[in-house]
Amino acid sequence: MKKILVAGAGGFIGGHLVKELVKKGNQVRAVDLKPLNEWYQVSPDADNLVLDLRLRDNCFRAVNGFHEVFNLAADMGGMGFIENNKAACMISVLINTHLLIAAKECGIERFFYASSACVYNGEKQTDPDNPGLKESDAYPALAEDGYGWEKLFSERMCRHFSEDFGLITRVARFHNVYGPFGTFDGGREKAPAAIIRKVVEAGITGKKEIVIWGDGHQTRSFMYIDDCVKGIQSIMYSNIEEPINLGSSEMVSINQLVDIVEDIAGYKLKRSYDLKAPKGVRGRNSENTLIKKYLGWEPSIALKTGMKKTYDWISEQVVSESRSKKDISKFNK
């Protein structure tokens, strides 16, 4: 049994990771800034703490007495959030910095840092037919403003703590993770969840229309949460010393993503395009040669399979919320 700290445990990926680590018999301390009732998932068998890890003393409190750290904590969301909250995204640098210092001082054995494909040079992402971003494409550096630069800097912090202090660090660059128990409204949701919500709402209201951010031709790859959790653990306990891609190589356009959700829902929508909305780079995909070389594995859950599972969960939440609003409206009358 290992004593493991998961920072950002109240988030989407963190909640799934804690659940899996607890299931394997580990002693897990789960930490997040949000009040416990706002966590996406709460594992009752974990030591669940509400702490602001931007503060140095809280990082020492969280780390002390534990063996390993998975740092998934960050102020982040989809493109609509990170394009309009650059300063907030940059402040997350305090979390990783203080956690690394605490890990060094408290004798942590292994440290995992969740980075992002947003570290990649923007000039390599101008073509929707992106052949896939190799790990070396992060340099020369031209990361996503705000969020991407914070991630790239924190990657370097991990590297230098390994070089200077011998702390074993592992870094994975996530490419668009989706699945149940994630954000699907409120402004922080990513494309798969946002599109599913819009399609479900169109079905409920009978207004068979959808607004798509951008022209719909921008491309991405999307990794289902089960692949992500497996990849995190495989990378953590590997000999991979450099940052590595963790993402699906199944690239689709946003229009194709809408096609998939329409097929699941069983109806088509009239599409309109908001060209002024945040839309990010034109093309981004994960090039998985390196992870296949090291692990003999890559994320492989088909997008249609993962989207069906995600659709079922989000649909249940949206329908339930809609019914609650109708019940309240009837009561108020």
Side-chain angles (χ1 to χ4, degrees), residues 290-315:
L290 202 56
I291 195 169
K292 288 189 288 186
K293 173 186 173 183
Y294 279 121
L295 301 179
W297 172 88
E298 65 174 320
S300 58
I301 295 173
L303 183 58
K304 288 183 179 180
T305 301
M307 287 297 283
K308 176 62 168 65
K309 294 179 180 180
T310 309
Y311 180 95
D312 289 345
W313 183 81
I314 292 177
S315 177

Side-chain angles (χ1 to χ4, degrees), residues 194-212 258 261-262 267-273:
I195 290 170
I196 289 173
R197 187 201 75 240
K198 290 178 180 180
V199 171
V200 172
E201 289 175 343
I204 292 173
T205 62
K207 297 178 180 178
K208 299 295 181 66
E209 301 175 350
I210 185 171
V211 177
I212 298 170
V258 175
V261 181
E262 286 179 335
Y267 49 81
K268 296 291 184 181
L269 304 178
K270 178 182 178 182
R271 303 179 187 187
S272 59
Y273 297 89

Side-chain angles (χ1 to χ4, degrees), residues 235-251:
I235 292 166
M236 175 64 144
Y237 302 113
S238 73
N239 294 319
I240 305 171
E241 296 182 350
E242 68 265 44
I244 190 166
N245 280 334
L246 181 54
S248 169
S249 58
E250 183 185 355
M251 187 174 70

Side-chain angles (χ1 to χ4, degrees), residues 9-12 32-42 50 181-183 188:
F12 164 49
D32 203 280
L33 172 66
K34 297 183 290 294
L36 204 61
N37 64 356
E38 294 181 14
W39 290 25
Y40 293 104
Q41 296 186 78
V42 177
V50 176
F181 297 97
T183 304
R188 290 179 183 256

Side-chain angles (χ1 to χ4, degrees), residues 154-201:
S154 292
E155 286 188 6
R156 303 293 290 194
M157 287 283 288
C158 290
R159 170 180 169 175
H160 297 313
F161 266 69
S162 291
E163 293 171 341
D164 294 357
F165 307 121
L167 176 64
I168 297 175
T169 63
R170 298 291 180 257
V171 175
R173 292 171 177 163
F174 293 175
H175 287 250
N176 289 308
V177 188
Y178 73 99
F181 297 97
T183 304
F184 59 88
D185 61 7
R188 290 179 183 256
E189 66 274 22
K190 296 186 178 181
I195 290 170
I196 289 173
R197 187 201 75 240
K198 290 178 180 180
V199 171
V200 172
E201 289 175 343

